[in-house]
Amino acid sequence: MPDEEHMVDVQDLIASPVPDGVRVVVRCPEGKEAPQKFGTLDFSTVFLVAENPPDEFASPAGLGPRDLAWVLEKPSRKLKTVQDRWGTRASEVLDELIRSGAVMVKARVNMRDLRIKRYLQIIRTPLWSERADERRRELLGRIDPEQARTGLLDLMQGITELGSERALLLRSEPGVVPEGSATRAGHWDTYDFAVRVACRWYKHGGDRHPTQREVSSRSHAHTAGTKARWTDARVHAVENLLRKYISELFDFPDHEIRVKGPLRWYKDGALAVDAVTTDPWAGLPSNGVRETGSLELVTGIRGVLVLENQDTFYRSCQIPAITEGWVCVWGAGYASDGLVGFLKMLEPLPIAVWGDLDAHGIAIITNLRDRVKRDVYPVAMTEESWLRGPHRPQPPERQEQDAKKAAGLLDQAPDTLRPVAALIADHPELAGLGVEQEAQHTEVLPGLADLLAGVLDSVHSPSGA
């Protein structure tokens, strides 16, 4: 399901009847307002989504295993393929797929009579995409658990670093993640992915860090190769097994670092990027900015604010009280080597960070602190904020994984985030859940400048680390 922050309900504007349990929305472009046409909301293209999608991966009623596997096979399909497969039942099946949270449907609206003119395509939702490969194999019965277990044991043979993991697998039941596995994986598919990547890493890692696709093209050459999906669960299982953050394990191609604030970059003596005046933000080459030219810290600069999510970065860049003194930087999740190098160039400016209030958000900040090798100062990430919510729904297995991840951060995270990690790890009702940055905009953004002023007061205090 698309993020609620990026959907506008337009059902009352549509003249066509809508099936029970389905609503009609317009999706907003990432980091922008709702689409406009001639000064009014443009709802010529809409999406039909579940009104109350289940939190869990529940099979739609009336669909057999092979039909469901077909839905899971591709991220999107043209409507005609649905009609060709189910014929006269196509409309009924489509409605059930939407209600179950499996797909959303893109449709075109006739703006003259405000009726839905035609359906264009079905799009698999993120919840279903997260486990699509694993679920398809379960449905189609293509994996023999004993054969899969034997295959991994053969791969791990002779790799000293995986000796303990192999011993656990030897004692486990076929198709079951071994108890005590270093991967902390919740499903066999995630476990299998992490072990295969680790085997490739230890056998052929060498001195040069490979990219993720270089590794998966070899570790999963028997299946998807470079198309193997690096889901969040798989990434964290690999990190756990190899005992390093993903950013330390792999090389990432040069990319754009988005910034806004009192900073300029000069190349060959000429102004190349002016983050002061560029609207809405400026882009710096992650490797180029460290290798050539020079940075100018504009008078009045106070610090750096690293923001995990794109929407939050965009909104923060629109607040002059922040960008006049702080360089806003989009962290884009786990920091790349290029971003870490860039932040080191700005030393000794204090680094404030604001991310999702969940186990992964805390891990991202912990990773950043460790790699820049100095204190970072989390803002708007308190126990009260986490308890207040709203909490993002999670499938039970993902909730359990995140609770375990939070428990593993209790002795590693910055001091101010450890109480939040404890809540995520052990809360009797909400363990494993998190609060997204975007859900906090209304409460946090109006007072963010004051929170950053508080960071400056804490710079010389050990409580910020």
Side-chain angles (χ1 to χ4, degrees):
M1 181 86 114
D3 191 328
E4 292 287 344
E5 186 76 11
H6 307 309
M7 296 195 300
V8 177
D9 199 308
V10 294
Q11 191 153 329
D12 292 343
L13 303 176
I14 302 296
S16 300
V18 178
D20 291 340
V22 176
R23 62 186 179 123
V24 184
V25 302
V26 169
R27 294 188 68 186
C28 304
E30 188 75 7
K32 297 182 181 180
E33 300 293 339
Q36 303 283 317
K37 191 172 185 179
F38 305 119
T40 60
L41 177 66
D42 179 11
F43 56 96
S44 55
T45 299
V46 298
F47 292 83
L48 280 71
V49 301
E51 190 170 41
N52 295 297
D55 294 341
E56 300 182 10
F57 192 100
S59 299
L63 259 68
R66 292 195 173 277
D67 286 335
L68 186 52
W70 182 86
V71 174
L72 290 166
E73 184 180 8
K74 295 182 178 181
S76 65
R77 290 182 182 275
K78 293 181 179 179
L79 183 71
K80 186 177 185 303
T81 63
V82 179
Q83 295 169 331
D84 290 344
R85 185 174 185 88
W86 281 291
T88 57
R89 291 186 58 227
S91 179
E92 172 190 341
V93 169
L94 195 57
D95 292 348
E96 186 58 36
L97 286 170
I98 299 172
R99 280 191 290 265
S100 70
V103 303
M104 47 190 163
V105 175
K106 185 177 181 180
R108 189 77 72 200
V109 173
N110 187 326
M111 298 304 291
R112 290 190 298 275
D113 59 10
L114 304 182
R115 300 181 69 83
I116 294 177
K117 183 164 51 176
R118 66 179 182 277
Y119 290 170
L120 302 176
Q121 64 180 145
I122 65 171
I123 302 171
R124 204 172 58 200
T125 62
L127 175 63
W128 278 53
S129 293
E130 180 72 21
R131 290 185 54 197
D133 294 342
E134 173 193 359
R135 187 73 173 115
R136 282 193 79 246
R137 287 195 289 268
E138 290 175 356
L139 290 165
L140 296 176
R142 289 180 178 172
I143 290 183
D144 175 76
E146 181 60 46
Q147 182 180 356
R149 176 173 169 272
T150 301
L152 289 190
L153 289 169
D154 290 344
L155 282 175
M156 286 191 278
Q157 181 70 41
I159 302 178
T160 305
E161 296 88 346
L162 295 178
S164 298
E165 193 67 39
R166 189 174 186 276
L168 291 175
L169 184 58
L170 271 170
R171 297 193 297 268
S172 70
E173 293 293 324
V176 177
V177 177
E179 185 175 351
S181 168
T183 65
R184 299 182 186 174
H187 294 277
W188 175 263
D189 179 69
T190 304
Y191 178 78
D192 178 272
F193 181 90
V195 169
R196 289 180 180 279
V197 167
C199 288
R200 180 68 194 176
W201 173 265
Y202 283 124
K203 286 182 178 178
H204 306 285
D207 297 327
R208 181 184 64 88
H209 283 192
T211 66
Q212 289 174 288
R213 289 172 67 90
E214 284 174 339
V215 168
S216 60
S217 69
R218 296 297 188 92
S219 65
H220 286 73
H222 65 297
T223 54
T226 57
K227 298 186 185 304
R229 297 184 64 246
W230 285 79
T231 63
D232 287 344
R234 290 177 172 183
V235 166
H236 295 304
V238 170
E239 288 179 328
N240 292 335
L241 188 54
L242 295 176
R243 296 181 177 87
K244 288 185 178 181
Y245 289 112
I246 202 74
S247 52
E248 298 174 281
L249 292 166
F250 298 99
D251 189 18
F252 295 86
D254 199 350
H255 66 281
E256 180 182 66
I257 300 175
R258 296 183 184 180
V259 297
K260 173 67 176 177
L263 188 74
R264 296 187 179 100
W265 179 46
Y266 291 84
K267 189 173 185 296
D268 299 327
L271 179 63
V273 174
D274 186 350
V276 179
T277 60
T278 305
D279 186 47
W281 40 260
L284 293 170
S286 61
N287 295 329
V289 72
R290 293 178 293 133
E291 297 170 358
T292 62
S294 61
L295 287 175
E296 176 195 354
L297 306 183
V298 177
T299 302
I301 189 170
R302 301 187 188 97
V304 186
L305 172 60
V306 180
L307 300 147
E308 179 182 341
N309 295 333
Q310 183 174 339
D311 276 27
T312 308
F313 168 74
Y314 175 76
R315 291 298 185 201
S316 299
C317 289
Q318 296 175 315
I319 304 175
I322 295 174
T323 57
E324 287 170 0
W326 292 77
V327 179
C328 293
V329 181
W330 179 30
Y334 282 91
S336 65
D337 288 341
L339 177 57
V340 170
F342 170 68
L343 293 176
K344 287 182 176 180
M345 293 176 67
L346 300 179
E347 193 171 359
L349 290 173
I351 300 175
V353 287
W354 178 21
D356 288 340
L357 264 174
D358 57 18
H360 305 299
I362 295 173
I364 286 169
I365 292 173
T366 304
N367 169 249
L368 180 65
R369 179 206 59 192
D370 293 345
R371 293 171 63 214
V372 298
K373 293 182 171 56
R374 60 192 180 98
D375 293 346
V376 298
Y377 298 85
V379 296
M381 301 182 71
T382 65
E383 297 166 87
E384 293 77 11
S385 297
W386 186 85
L387 287 168
R388 184 170 59 244
H391 298 93
R392 178 179 60 243
Q394 295 268 50
E397 62 274 8
R398 178 65 182 276
Q399 197 169 327
E400 182 180 350
Q401 290 172 17
D402 286 6
K404 290 180 180 178
K405 188 169 188 67
L409 291 164
L410 290 175
D411 296 328
Q412 303 173 28
D415 290 346
T416 56
L417 293 180
R418 293 184 185 185
V420 183
L423 285 172
I424 298 172
D426 297 322
H427 193 284
E429 298 174 0
L430 304 171
L433 296 181
V435 180
E436 294 180 320
Q437 267 189 306
E438 294 88 346
Q440 295 183 283
H441 283 186
T442 303
E443 292 79 15
V444 175
L445 287 175
L448 184 55
D450 292 334
L451 292 175
L452 294 174
V455 167
L456 296 179
D457 294 336
S458 302
V459 165
H460 301 296
S461 168
S463 62

